[in-house]
Amino acid sequence: MAAELSAHDLIAKHRPTLDQALEAIRTRAYWSPHPEHPKAYGENGSLGMAEGKAAFDALLGNRLDLDQPGTDDWVGGEISPYGIELGVTYPHADIDTLLPAMKAGQRAWRDAGAQARAVVCLEILKRISDRTHEFAHAVMHTSGQAFMMAFQAGGPHAQDRGLEAVAYAYAEQVRTPDEAEWTKPQGKRDPLKLDKRFKAVPRGIALVIGCNTFPTWNGYPGLFASLATGNAVLVKPHPRGVLPLALTVQVAREVLAETGFDPNLVALAAERPGEGIAKTLATRPEIRIIDYTGSTSFGDWLEANARQAQVYTEKAGVNTVLVESTDNYKGMLSNLAFSLSLYSGQMCTTPQNLLIPRDGITTDEGAKSYDEVVTDLARSVGGLLGDDARANALLGAIVNPDVKARLEAAAGLGEVALASREIVNPEFPDAVVRTPVIVKLDGAKPDDEAAYMSECFGPVSFAVAVDSATDGVELLRRTIADKGAMAVGAYTTSDEVAGAVEEVCLDECAQLSLNLTGGVYVNQTAAFSDFHGSGGNPAANAALCDAAFVANRFRMVEIRREA
């Protein structure tokens, strides 16, 4: 097919951004090419607030035709956590037709080289960025995130993570030169001489199994890491979160076609209600890479059964914060309150267990007993969410009935320090909005351990009384080792305690945040600088994003001949 966009044009357009991304992952300094503020959009081809909302509204009740081969039905059924039936239908694929079609374009994509693939990926991301307002509504009405969070996390932050993956992928592919002259001296004899060529060769078709809560943020790293390393990508969204990833596939297919590549290098695998195609797809011999975010049980199944594929999983963990002492008591409470409340705790990095010595802690406001700390934290959460409009903007909506059930059951696990309350969203009266619950548990009681040593995904946290800071550190170690953690926090003014916590996190391979009292929270990570997960504890077998996340998506093949 004729290319409307040449590689030369795309290199001129996007190479500076790629170079900045490469520098950012080297220095780990703050950088982002994607504006976080909604008012930054609306010029130079990007959709403004009203245009983005109109574009989203135009999708509702309509068919999203991707013009991909093997379509044998149209499927849908998404209902927004805010109570709206989206009514969008998507192509259902005959996999035996779609997978061969996806493989057909891989040779040209492979031969294009790392730079051409990178700038095509950056063009895809640029066009997604131009539609950030539209994507924000799609993320909001599939995940239940409040609009501003859907805009930022589902938009620029997700795009940053995609670009980060492209940068790492490019860096690893060009680490080996395309060509080399090899000469080995032989003393008095003529030297041995070989000409060698090296080519990055993709593994095959990559499968992205999307999640409901963060379809773009969690989906883009694997999608763009695989595409940038030469693989075709099949996107299997969560049945309740199809629209954001379907739009992504639509944009990717448009850009691939316009640049002269086969649009079937990226395709969508939507499913009928209850069809459950993830297991079938994951074990197909054509699938050579899998990226998955979701439950531990299915992640473990993938790792055990998808033996033909390189599997990257982000599963469940029990995120823990040790509270030993602080020199900014109000700042600590405010920071923790926000972390527990954001998106109703429906983040893989939300703190669950707060380990507090039963004899209390030292603070800049004097000694505080265990009960006082818990009471003050409950009061801080209550104050943060006391205004319903503010609470709706922070909490969003409960994403599914399972989260609501866990929230309601948590109140029966121990003494309730902060009861959850129902909030009405006047714009979306059918939305299920609940404030967090905080439950007191005793770390010395076996019955309580069953609760706090299990992930309780949602707006539930446990204030766990421990005998001492030392006991808290050991419980932290055991929790990470046995259950995993995506994020760990600690508050302490003691160098000794801080050092002990650091050693635990180094030993058990967990990402640590110390003494956060300002506008950065334990459950937030910044692309190009922070690693999301480590790949070294049971919560995940990969980190977003490092060299290990991209390097095994391709292999280096060498062709040598005598000079």
Side-chain angles (χ1 to χ4, degrees), residues 145-146 149 337-339 341-345 384-385 388-397:
Q145 295 175 32
M149 183 174 184
F338 188 93
S339 298
S341 303
L342 184 63
Y343 184 32
S344 301
L384 177 67
L385 304 176
D388 284 2
R390 183 178 179 183
N392 275 307
L394 188 59
L395 294 170

Side-chain angles (χ1 to χ4, degrees), residues 30 32-41 148 151-153 156-157 160:
Y30 170 77
S32 172
H34 303 115
E36 288 185 308
H37 199 284
K39 292 183 179 179
Y41 298 82
M148 195 61 190
F151 179 89
Q152 292 185 336
H157 297 171
D160 283 350

Side-chain angles (χ1 to χ4, degrees), residues 265-384:
L265 287 165
V266 179
L268 185 76
E271 57 191 315
R272 300 183 182 96
E275 186 177 5
I277 62 174
K279 285 187 176 181
T280 301
L281 291 173
T283 52
R284 292 277 303 213
E286 302 96 330
I287 300 299
R288 304 304 303 276
I289 301 167
I290 298 173
D291 287 278
Y292 167 76
T293 299
S295 70
T296 296
S297 58
F298 191 61
D300 289 345
W301 186 93
L302 288 170
E303 292 169 2
N305 292 277
R307 306 299 294 273
Q308 85 292 348
Q310 179 71 32
V311 179
Y312 300 90
T313 59
E314 180 190 313
K315 300 176 288 190
V318 177
N319 301 316
T320 303
V321 177
L322 175 66
V323 180
E324 186 270 340
S325 57
T326 180
D327 58 7
N328 185 351
Y329 188 59
K330 284 187 172 62
M332 180 190 78
L333 294 174
S334 176
N335 192 280
L336 284 173
F338 188 93
S339 298
L340 299 179
S341 303
L342 184 63
Y343 184 32
S344 301
Q346 298 170 124
M347 303 174 68
C348 63
T349 48
T350 299
Q352 175 180 300
N353 293 346
L354 308 175
L355 309 184
I356 306 168
R358 65 180 76 254
D359 291 336
I361 69 172
T362 59
T363 80
D364 56 317
E365 298 182 11
K368 299 288 183 179
S369 70
Y370 164 84
D371 286 334
E372 286 177 314
V373 173
V374 179
T375 299
D376 289 344
L377 178 59
R379 186 180 296 115
S380 186
V381 173
L384 177 67

